[in-house]
């Protein structure tokens, strides 16, 4: 039968920790280190952080569990997984469109993600060679003003992504994350300590954690929720695809809790590493996407051995980005190759080419197209980011929650989740049935009809 096509050719994770590492690799990325601090910075700090944490706990974690349940149960790529579980639950196979929207979101995100990750690659060399020659804000302005420069690094990053995905999931991703994730953790801790000692730590902690809800608007809510989805990598089938390669004896709930906690910790630590430096050097916390590049370069400019630690930091940031970009490409590639439409290699090549072409618009948003507005006052990059982070991912997540909460057979869910405290199970079901869908729906509603 057609829907019985399995992902056997894709293989599965080897080793107890590989799923957690790969899923954390997908979750921890530019969203944590580049996105979270600057979004917290432009949205008033602590209010954003608190709403973000609430979204992770009440919406993100329950949806992450649901995605893995679907993925592992089916053992297929997200489009076929949704279709298969829908049929097994005696409901319409139209649910497969959630998988399709995920593939679309993945391509759109990858298009701008690769441009930003390209800037990280570029900074490996900048921080190694031109320290002290130029102030860090000027340096960033110079980097983004050249379309050729951005496109060059965007191309390099996209080629890396396509090569790893085409090589398959087992050897490439599995092996890479085992070494690189712990290294990233150590370097984060080092950066936090440096910021604690040399930066304005008190001011940064107040900025990030002292509750001040006076500036919260419906847009803050939507941004915080969008960021939660983006950071956990939910709503587009990445984690569903990774779940399909997960061994049956692994516990879905505890794995999800580990991934969500790790992801949140890295985002908060990135904030604690960056803001003390921003305040100490009187830079603006709300300076937007350049925040991490400007603040970190200025720190490396001044620290001893900055010329070694700087490149190391940007290498790791690039690797964190790479382990996420792979997961953006995987759902589409898994689908095309599983259906036998194209080989894995050709699928990876074709989808990444589409994302690369779209990425040109994002690269130009920093320079030639900076004055063109697409969706309201957003430039091309911001518009794509808006469509994906604030619409496609939350809506994808909402449909996944509705599907699992209301349509998927409870016996199938219980089978996957396994032995679990009945109160915890009831709580999760309550969140997935009521809280997650209404939460997402309300936030999106208020975005269009602000209070
Ligand atoms: N979670 C990644 C980050 O925070 O950078 C980005 C990402 C990966 C988004 C996978 C969505 C996704 F499905």
């Amino acid at each position: 039968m057609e829907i019985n096509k399995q992902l056997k050719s894709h293989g599965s994770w080897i080793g107890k920790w590989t799923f957690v590492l790969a899923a954390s690799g997908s979750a921890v990325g530019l969203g944590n280190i580049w996105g979270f601090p600057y979004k917290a910075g432009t949205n008033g700090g602590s209010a954003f952080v608190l709403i973000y944490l609430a979204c992770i706990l009440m919406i993100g974690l329950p949806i992450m569990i649901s995605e893995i349940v679907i993925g592992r149960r089916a053992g297929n790529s997200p489009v076929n997984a949704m279709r298969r579980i829908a049929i097994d639950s005696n409901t319409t196979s139209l649910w497969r469109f959630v998988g399709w929207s995920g593939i679309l979101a993945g391509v759109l995100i990858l298009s701008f993600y690769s441009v930003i990750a390209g800037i990280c690659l570029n900074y490996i060399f900048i921080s190694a060679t031109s320290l002290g020659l130029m102030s860090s804000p000027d340096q960033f302005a110079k980097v983004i003003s050249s379309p050729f420069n951005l496109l060059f690094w965007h191309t390099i990053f996209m080629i890396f992504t396509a090569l790893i995905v085409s090589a398959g999931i087992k050897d490439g991703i599995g092996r890479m994350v085992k070494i690189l994730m712990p290294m990233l953790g150590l370097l984060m801790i080092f950066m936090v300590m440096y910021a604690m000692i040399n930066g304005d730590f008190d001011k940064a902690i107040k900025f990030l954690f002292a509750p001040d809800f006076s500036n919260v608007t419906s847009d803050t809510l939507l941004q915080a929720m969008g960021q939660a989805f983006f950071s956990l990598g939910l709503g587009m089938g990445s984690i569903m695809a990774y779940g399909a390669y997960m061994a049956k004896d692994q516990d879905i709930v505890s794995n999800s809790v580990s991934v969500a906690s790790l992801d949140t910790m890295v985002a908060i630590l990135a904030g604690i590493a960056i803001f003390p430096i921003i305040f100490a050097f009187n830079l603006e916390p709300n300076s937007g996407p350049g925040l991490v590049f400007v603040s970190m370069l200025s720190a490396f400019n001044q620290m001893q051995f900055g010329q070694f630690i700087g490149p190391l930091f940007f290498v790791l940031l690039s690797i964190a980005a790479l382990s996420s970009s792979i997961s953006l490409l995987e759902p589409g590639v898994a689908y095309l190759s599983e259906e036998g439409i194209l080989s894995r290699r050709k699928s990876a090549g074709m989808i990444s080419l589409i994302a690369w072409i779209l990425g040109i618009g994002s690269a130009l948003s920093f320079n030639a197209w900076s004055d063109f507005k697409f969706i309201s006052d957003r430039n091309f990059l911001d518009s794509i980011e808006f469509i994906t982070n604030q619409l496609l991912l939350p809506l994808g997540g909402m449909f996944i929650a509705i599907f699992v909460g209301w349509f998927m057979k409870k016996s199938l869910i219980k089978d996957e989740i396994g032995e679990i405290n009945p109160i915890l199970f009831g709580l999760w079901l309550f969140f997935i049935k009521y809280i997650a869908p209404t939460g997402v729906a309300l936030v999106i509603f208020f975005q269009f009809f602000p209070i």
Side-chain angles (χ1 to χ4, degrees), residues 186-342:
L186 283 180
L187 217 85
M188 275 317 301
I189 292 168
F190 175 82
M191 300 307 300
V192 168
M193 275 162 43
Y194 177 83
M196 281 168 91
I197 296 165
N198 298 299
D200 192 340
F201 193 64
D202 284 351
K203 201 165 169 189
I205 293 293
K206 266 202 205 94
F207 179 73
L208 283 171
F209 300 112
D212 170 13
F213 287 92
S214 54
N215 289 324
V216 173
T217 61
S218 48
D219 194 53
T220 319
L221 287 175
L222 190 64
Q223 286 224 32
M225 190 179 71
Q227 175 65 17
F229 273 95
F230 185 81
S231 189
L232 291 177
L234 297 177
M236 58 143 287
S238 272
I239 200 85
M240 199 185 284
Y242 277 12
Y245 316 134
M246 185 187 196
K248 289 282 180 199
D249 60 353
Q250 293 239 323
D251 183 48
I252 292 181
V253 177
S254 62
N255 271 314
S256 303
V257 171
S258 309
V259 174
S261 329
L262 214 81
D263 184 64
T264 309
M265 232 165 62
V266 174
I268 303 270
L269 283 179
I272 299 180
I274 288 167
F275 285 113
I277 294 169
I278 293 288
F279 289 124
F281 294 112
N282 289 321
L283 301 167
E284 286 300 321
N286 58 357
S287 62
L291 192 73
V292 68
F293 299 108
V294 171
S295 71
M296 283 319 203
L297 197 67
S298 94
F300 298 132
N301 267 330
Q302 301 174 49
M303 69 170 71
Q304 236 188 342
F305 307 120
Q307 250 162 325
F308 298 103
I309 297 169
L312 203 60
F313 175 79
F314 288 110
V315 165
L316 288 172
L317 189 52
S318 307
I319 283 156
L322 198 58
S323 61
S324 298
S325 65
I326 299 163
S327 73
L328 289 164
L329 196 50
E330 180 62 25
V333 170
Y335 175 72
L336 288 183
S337 51
E338 172 178 88
E339 285 291 323
I341 298 170
L342 288 175

Side-chain angles (χ1 to χ4, degrees), residues 13 80-81 87 106 108 151 193 211 228 230-231 261 319 338 417 419 437:
W13 304 118
N80 286 330
I87 292 172
L108 292 176
L151 287 178
M193 275 162 43
F230 185 81
S231 189
S261 329
I319 283 156
E338 172 178 88
I417 290 202
E419 281 295 309

Side-chain angles (χ1 to χ4, degrees), residues 370-385:
S370 61
D371 290 334
F372 288 130
K373 303 297 175 211
F374 290 83
I375 298 178
S376 76
D377 60 347
R378 297 175 180 87
N379 64 27
F380 187 82
L381 191 158
D382 293 344
S383 301
I384 300 274
E385 204 192 337

Side-chain angles (χ1 to χ4, degrees), residues 85-268:
I85 303 291
I87 292 172
D88 287 350
S89 301
N90 304 324
T91 177
T92 164
S93 68
L94 286 176
W95 283 103
R96 70 181 181 281
F97 283 104
V98 175
W100 280 111
S101 122
I103 293 182
L104 175 68
V107 174
L108 292 176
I109 295 174
L110 184 58
S111 74
F112 71 80
Y113 205 82
S114 165
V115 174
I116 311 290
I119 302 179
C120 299
L121 286 179
N122 192 357
Y123 262 72
I124 298 174
F125 299 94
I126 291 174
S127 60
T129 53
S130 62
L131 287 178
L133 293 182
M134 206 186 265
S135 79
S136 58
D138 288 348
Q139 183 66 260
F140 184 66
K142 186 177 159 218
V143 165
I144 61 172
S145 66
S146 157
F148 173 78
N149 186 47
L150 291 182
L151 287 178
F152 175 77
W153 293 106
H154 166 51
T155 310
I156 302 275
F157 185 82
M158 196 63 93
I159 291 174
F160 278 144
T161 305
L163 282 179
I164 294 179
V165 174
S166 51
I169 59 132
K170 199 171 60 188
D171 296 332
I173 314 175
R175 208 169 282 159
M176 201 170 82
V177 291
K178 270 184 217 158
I179 309 166
L180 296 166
M181 296 306 288
M183 269 171 75
L184 183 71
L186 283 180
L187 217 85
M188 275 317 301
I189 292 168
F190 175 82
M191 300 307 300
V192 168
M193 275 162 43
Y194 177 83
M196 281 168 91
I197 296 165
N198 298 299
D200 192 340
F201 193 64
D202 284 351
K203 201 165 169 189
I205 293 293
K206 266 202 205 94
F207 179 73
L208 283 171
F209 300 112
D212 170 13
F213 287 92
S214 54
N215 289 324
V216 173
T217 61
S218 48
D219 194 53
T220 319
L221 287 175
L222 190 64
Q223 286 224 32
M225 190 179 71
Q227 175 65 17
F229 273 95
F230 185 81
S231 189
L232 291 177
L234 297 177
M236 58 143 287
S238 272
I239 200 85
M240 199 185 284
Y242 277 12
Y245 316 134
M246 185 187 196
K248 289 282 180 199
D249 60 353
Q250 293 239 323
D251 183 48
I252 292 181
V253 177
S254 62
N255 271 314
S256 303
V257 171
S258 309
V259 174
S261 329
L262 214 81
D263 184 64
T264 309
M265 232 165 62
V266 174
I268 303 270

